[in-house]
Amino acid sequence: MNKRTGKVVRLATPLKAWTQRFAFLLLVGAAFGLMLLGKIDTVLIERARTQLADAMAPLLDAASEPVATVNGTLEDMRDLARMREVNAMLRAENQRLLDWRRSAIALAAQNAALRDLMKLAPDAEQRYVTARVVADQGNAFVRSVLVAVGKSAGVDKGQAALTGSGLAGRVVEVGDKISRILLITDINSRIPVAVGAAGDKAILAGDNSPKPSLMYLLPNSSVKVGDRVVTSGNGGLFPPGLPVGEVTEVADGSVRVRPYVDWEHLDYLRLVGYDLPGLIADFIGKPATAR
């Protein structure tokens, strides 16, 4: 028995050495042979590959289970960490909102008391509808957009067109289901505004550029870069206080304003109608016998 085993070992040793020496060539030859076999009989190779994949599928599925479990556990841990961060942020935000709510309640009570004391007329009621911008008619000569609402939705000529940032323009044409908005940058746009903390009165005049200018400022006005521009309410076009923009240039008698509206993302507009009784706009619209 030992002699037979020793004989097998003596025969296997040279074979093993020969295999190790020419292993690379054997692998290259085997690969080349498989390529030739695949070219000769593609159906056979494809069937063998499919059968091998089917045979390995249970093993691969079993092997992937622990990996999927570990990945799921890690993802749950990451989600838990994110949830804790979000929860902390929401708690802080909730506390800030509660503080704001208490301040708002106190200010509302104070405002109501002051209004009652001064017998101040209430603010004008608002009627609004939100519409999608469906066409941009902006070119070298016109700055206007079309929105997909009209008379059927209660839109009237002269209503303010607002975004979440500020005043974008006003309604100048109204159809049954579509309206045209003249933007504040249009050369035909003229809006009475108040500038800065002093409330210097001026007219915001569009000139088809991204930054309209201020006209008719008094020589002794204290306008400076960074001043906030809002509607003044003069002329009855808009109520006072609507945000318009910010002064960015004051030089050589020219004052430029950067509107708050993001013209590149003008997707929706809120068309707001203000019931402003007794103002010039209403007076002009009445016949002479009624004045």
Side-chain angles (χ1 to χ4, degrees):
M1 185 69 180
N2 292 335
K3 291 182 179 180
R4 184 180 303 175
T5 303
K7 185 177 182 180
V8 172
V9 171
R10 284 195 301 273
L11 290 174
T13 301
L15 181 62
K16 181 179 179 182
W18 185 85
T19 303
Q20 291 177 348
R21 180 175 300 177
F22 298 100
F24 179 74
L25 294 177
L26 289 174
L27 291 175
V28 172
F32 187 71
L34 289 174
M35 291 173 59
L36 288 178
L37 183 59
K39 293 294 184 181
I40 294 172
D41 192 350
T42 56
V43 177
L44 177 62
I45 294 299
E46 183 177 353
R47 186 182 300 119
R49 185 167 57 245
T50 304
Q51 291 177 354
L52 179 61
D54 290 339
M56 294 295 293
L59 296 177
L60 294 175
D61 187 47
S64 65
E65 284 295 332
V67 176
T69 303
V70 172
N71 288 337
T73 303
L74 293 177
E75 186 63 27
D76 291 342
M77 294 176 64
R78 285 191 290 266
D79 289 341
L80 181 60
R82 285 194 293 267
M83 288 177 61
R84 287 179 176 175
E85 293 178 1
V86 172
N87 190 32
M89 293 174 58
L90 290 176
R91 286 177 180 273
E93 183 68 20
N94 187 46
Q95 186 59 45
R96 286 194 295 269
L97 289 176
L98 289 175
D99 294 339
W100 277 106
R101 182 176 181 273
R102 286 190 289 267
S103 300
I105 292 174
L107 289 174
Q110 184 182 17
N111 191 23
L114 291 174
R115 284 175 178 270
D116 184 66
L117 181 64
M118 300 177 63
K119 300 300 180 183
L120 186 66
D123 292 337
E125 295 183 359
Q126 299 180 15
R127 297 173 288 105
Y128 68 87
V129 58
T130 302
R132 178 189 290 273
V133 176
V134 294
D136 184 355
Q137 295 183 315
N139 53 50
F141 306 102
V142 179
R143 293 290 186 272
S144 65
V145 295
L146 296 178
V147 293
V149 292
K151 293 179 181 178
S152 58
V155 178
D156 294 322
K157 187 182 293 186
Q159 287 184 342
L162 303 171
T163 68
S165 302
L167 181 67
R170 59 188 173 90
V171 180
V172 292
E173 294 178 5
V174 183
D176 289 335
K177 296 182 178 180
I178 201 164
S179 303
R180 187 165 74 91
I181 311 299
L182 185 73
L183 302 180
I184 61 176
T185 55
D186 189 274
I187 195 171
N188 297 306
S189 176
R190 298 291 186 273
I191 300 173
V193 295
V195 186
D200 294 319
K201 300 299 188 293
I203 298 294
L204 184 74
D207 56 4
N208 290 350
S209 72
K211 295 181 180 180
S213 61
L214 293 180
M215 301 173 58
Y216 308 119
L217 275 168
L218 294 177
N220 59 347
S221 63
S222 57
V223 174
K224 61 183 182 300
V225 173
D227 280 348
R228 190 167 181 262
V229 180
V230 298
T231 56
S232 65
N234 292 347
L237 185 61
F238 300 125
L242 296 180
V244 176
E246 182 179 293
V247 175
T248 58
E249 299 178 23
V250 180
D252 299 329
S254 175
V255 180
R256 291 282 176 174
V257 176
R258 177 180 58 80
Y260 290 133
V261 176
D262 182 5
W263 304 114
E264 298 297 327
H265 300 89
L266 195 63
D267 298 325
Y268 290 91
L269 287 173
R270 173 175 288 187
L271 309 183
V272 185
Y274 297 93
D275 295 330
L276 303 173
L279 295 179
I280 295 177
D282 297 331
F283 180 76
I284 292 177
K286 294 180 182 179
T289 55
R291 295 177 184 173

